[in-house]
Amino acid sequence: SFELIVLEIEPHEPAPQAVHMIDLQRVIEDIREAPSICKAATLCVGWMQDLTGFDRVMVYRFNSDDSGEVIAEAKQPDQQPYLGLRYPAMDIPRQARRLMLRNPVRILADVDDPGAEILPLVSIEGEALDLSMSALRSHSLMHTEYLTNMGVKASFVVSIISRGRLWGMISCHHRTTRQLNYAIRCKADLFAHMLGLVFDNKEIAAENAHRDAAQK
């Protein structure tokens, strides 16, 4: 039997001291105590902007029909607000949604980076290389064109997963190229995972309150 191992190598930069000093547990507690999901998401985007340094940070929430809505946003004062905007399901195809469940963290440091050719094109077994779990693989041309039209040069996306489904995502945009080191990406991933649990609990509490009100 043949086992293929893919190694990804990138420059390592220690996370800034400020990142280590952020009390993740305290932030999660504040989010847990927020009176609503929208209030919790507002705390989320502020913390993520401090962590990543991106110009704009948004929380998207997906509806039952797979359409999306921006429910929280932190941005620079001169940027046009996207808060409250809704997007059709076709903006994020099902294939991309499945990938976001499997690999919840995606970084695009430069939308104009042409990428590198994959050699060989197929493995010794004759199959294309599976890069679905890769952190360094290129994005689709459709996606990079979409970002370019929005004036975005770099993006960072972390999936919010609740009860095994794609609840939404934290989407970060920057107007210039921007790379995030591995430590910051891991911290953002952990934060999004904990956020999914908090949102799950809030939705269950809201469902129970609605059922109790209906029974009364």
Side-chain angles (χ1 to χ4, degrees):
S1 63
F2 175 77
E3 181 180 3
L4 179 65
I5 298 175
V6 178
L7 299 180
E8 292 191 285
I9 301 173
E10 61 179 290
H12 172 68
E13 294 181 4
Q17 187 64 26
V19 173
H20 297 298
M21 295 174 63
I22 293 176
D23 188 350
L24 181 59
Q25 183 176 0
R26 176 183 55 79
V27 173
I28 289 296
E29 285 298 325
D30 290 343
I31 290 175
R32 184 179 289 115
E33 294 174 2
S36 67
I37 286 180
C38 287
K39 293 289 187 181
T42 299
L43 294 174
C44 163
V45 293
W47 186 83
M48 279 292 289
Q49 190 174 51
D50 290 340
L51 177 68
T52 64
F54 272 68
D55 290 331
R56 187 195 303 270
V57 179
M58 298 168 286
V59 169
Y60 284 78
R61 181 177 185 174
F62 297 132
N63 301 314
S64 57
D65 62 355
D66 287 342
S67 63
E69 179 184 0
V70 180
I71 65 170
E73 178 185 47
K75 64 178 185 64
Q76 298 302 315
D78 62 331
Q79 290 183 302
Q80 176 184 354
Y82 292 161
L83 181 63
L85 294 184
R86 296 174 179 266
Y87 298 87
M90 67 182 67
D91 272 17
I92 305 178
R94 290 187 176 181
Q95 180 181 1
R97 293 172 188 266
R98 289 194 296 268
L99 190 58
M100 290 174 68
L101 273 172
R102 188 179 181 202
N103 187 0
V105 178
R106 291 288 282 137
I107 179 71
L108 177 57
D110 184 358
V111 298
D112 296 324
D113 187 340
E117 185 178 3
I118 298 174
L119 298 173
L121 289 176
V122 295
S123 67
I124 60 175
E125 297 178 335
E127 298 179 353
L129 181 63
D130 181 6
L131 292 176
S132 58
M133 295 302 294
S134 169
L136 304 181
R137 65 181 173 85
S138 297
H139 288 61
S140 70
L141 293 178
M142 182 182 300
H143 182 62
T144 55
E145 183 178 353
Y146 179 82
L147 293 176
T148 299
N149 292 338
M150 296 174 64
V152 175
K153 289 285 289 183
S155 72
F156 177 57
V157 176
V158 188
S159 303
I160 302 174
I161 300 172
S162 174
R163 290 186 253 186
R165 64 183 174 89
L166 187 62
W167 186 96
M169 63 180 180
I170 305 171
S171 180
C172 309
H173 291 169
H174 207 60
R175 290 175 288 189
T176 58
T177 59
R178 185 168 184 81
Q179 179 62 277
L180 293 180
N181 65 41
Y182 181 72
I184 292 179
R185 301 202 306 265
C186 285
K187 195 155 193 171
D189 187 20
L190 175 61
F191 176 66
H193 175 73
M194 299 175 71
L195 196 64
L197 297 176
V198 172
F199 286 170
D200 186 17
N201 290 335
K202 286 187 178 297
E203 285 188 336
I204 292 175
E207 291 167 2
N208 291 338
H210 180 73
R211 183 173 57 250
D212 292 344
Q215 289 176 347
K216 290 179 180 179

